[in-house]
Amino acid sequence: MNLFIKIFFIHDNRAMLGKPIILFVESEEPAMIAEMIAESSQTSTHMYCARFFSDEKIHFYTGLETYSKFLMVLGTLGEAAHHLNYYYGYGVGDLTVEDQFFLTLIKLRRFPPNVELSYWFNISDKQVSNIFITWINFMFHQWSEVDFWVPRELVQYYAPTDFFNKFPKTRAIIDGTEVGMQKPNQPVAQQATFSSYKNKNTMKAMVGASPGGLCTYISEAYGGSASDRQIVERSTLPKMCDPGDEVNVSLVLINGFPIIYTSSSAEFCWV
């Protein structure tokens, strides 16, 4: 009986994924060895591969609870995800679409340096940048076409009973959300983006959620110096509300107050 070498890859999230391990097995079928080697060459050789992560780790790195949900979110981007024109023009190695999306979500959720991601996914840091910028723009254009604004009937149906009894006309609860950014070089841009509340340069948007907890509105982004009221007045939110709808400001605000849109007014009435 002849002695042949069998090569396979260990897929262990606690170790280096894709590390080749050589074992000696007895076999009389040389063709079987060639087939195993061919299969092993198609196996992912980078450390971070979404399909080999447990649900717990997927949740930690992406914020999505399970691998199935991760695939579902990826599926909402459609077939176009497989035909991207990359920002810098050059390729991204043999990284699958699934793992490119995984890399992007890790960057958004955990914010590791590009060089660290390059080690994890076995690509260069320039390729990491190429993937991230491309996918951020791609996700923006794809998901901006989705209508998140929920009809009043559904808002009322899913609202908590106690909240609905006190605020039956509430369509959304809004609050300003700020995200830190790199300090711009131009003095005018520095002034426009500086937030006195965060004491640093930020981008700011108004985010709205239904009483049931669904994110239903996100405004355009502004420099951190813009006030909540300025953003609301410049947003499309007043036009999206029906006459009589109430939009409550988050109660965490010290000067929070409800806003009511009425049929006799073309804009919000601040009360």
Side-chain angles (χ1 to χ4, degrees):
M1 184 175 292
N2 297 325
L3 192 65
F4 296 101
I5 297 176
K6 177 180 179 182
I7 302 176
F8 70 94
F9 285 78
I10 287 183
H11 301 293
D12 185 353
N13 296 325
R14 297 167 298 179
M16 293 287 290
L17 291 177
K19 183 178 179 181
I21 305 296
I22 299 178
L23 296 181
F24 293 93
V25 296
E26 291 184 347
S27 173
E28 295 181 344
E29 298 293 337
M32 183 185 301
I33 304 301
E35 183 179 349
M36 288 188 296
I37 294 175
E39 289 178 355
S40 68
S41 65
Q42 298 175 359
T43 307
S44 174
T45 58
H46 50 269
M47 190 189 308
Y48 276 45
C49 189
R51 67 180 181 275
F52 300 131
F53 273 57
S54 65
D55 288 343
E56 181 182 2
K57 290 185 175 67
I58 289 288
H59 189 203
F60 174 79
Y61 282 109
T62 69
L64 301 173
E65 292 86 347
T66 63
Y67 176 66
S68 298
K69 185 169 289 187
F70 169 84
L71 292 179
M72 181 194 72
V73 175
L74 175 59
T76 64
L77 293 169
E79 185 63 24
H82 297 268
H83 307 281
L84 297 178
N85 294 319
Y86 290 91
Y87 186 78
Y88 290 119
Y90 52 80
V92 293
D94 60 351
L95 211 59
T96 65
V97 168
E98 180 181 309
D99 287 332
Q100 291 178 44
F101 183 55
F102 189 40
L103 181 152
T104 304
L105 294 187
I106 291 176
K107 181 72 173 178
L108 290 172
R109 177 76 169 179
R110 312 304 308 181
F111 199 61
N114 285 358
V115 66
E116 189 172 357
L117 286 168
S118 71
Y119 297 151
W120 294 350
F121 288 91
N122 196 28
I123 56 178
S124 69
D125 56 341
K126 291 183 179 179
Q127 287 175 317
V128 170
S129 179
N130 194 20
I131 291 171
F132 184 73
I133 295 175
T134 300
W135 275 81
I136 286 295
N137 283 281
F138 171 60
M139 292 188 298
F140 167 76
H141 287 293
Q142 290 292 94
W143 287 336
S144 62
E145 298 178 2
V146 179
D147 184 11
F148 294 101
W149 191 245
V150 182
R152 179 192 290 175
E153 294 74 17
L154 286 179
V155 172
Q156 294 176 344
Y157 181 82
Y158 287 104
T161 303
D162 185 60
F163 186 95
F164 180 74
N165 291 335
K166 296 177 181 177
F167 309 101
K169 297 182 180 180
T170 297
R171 190 70 177 272
I173 302 168
I174 61 174
D175 193 13
T177 300
E178 296 187 66
V179 179
M181 61 175 292
Q182 185 176 350
K183 184 178 179 180
N185 293 326
Q186 298 296 328
V188 175
Q190 291 179 19
Q191 183 178 6
T193 59
F194 185 79
S195 168
S196 57
Y197 178 67
K198 295 290 185 180
N199 197 31
K200 62 180 179 180
N201 297 89
T202 66
M203 296 299 292
K204 188 175 184 179
M206 190 63 60
V207 178
S210 69
L214 177 67
C215 182
T216 58
Y217 180 79
I218 303 176
S219 74
E220 295 290 331
Y222 294 84
S225 63
S227 69
D228 292 357
R229 179 163 183 161
Q230 288 174 327
I231 296 177
V232 171
E233 290 176 342
R234 296 173 186 174
S235 72
T236 58
L237 190 57
K239 297 179 181 179
M240 297 171 68
C241 288
D242 296 322
D245 281 346
E246 291 183 3
V247 179
N248 291 359
V249 175
S250 174
L251 298 179
V252 243
L253 296 180
I254 297 176
N255 296 319
F257 42 82
I259 316 165
I260 302 176
Y261 180 61
T262 65
S263 58
S264 61
S265 173
E267 59 183 10
F268 279 131
C269 297
W270 302 78
V271 295

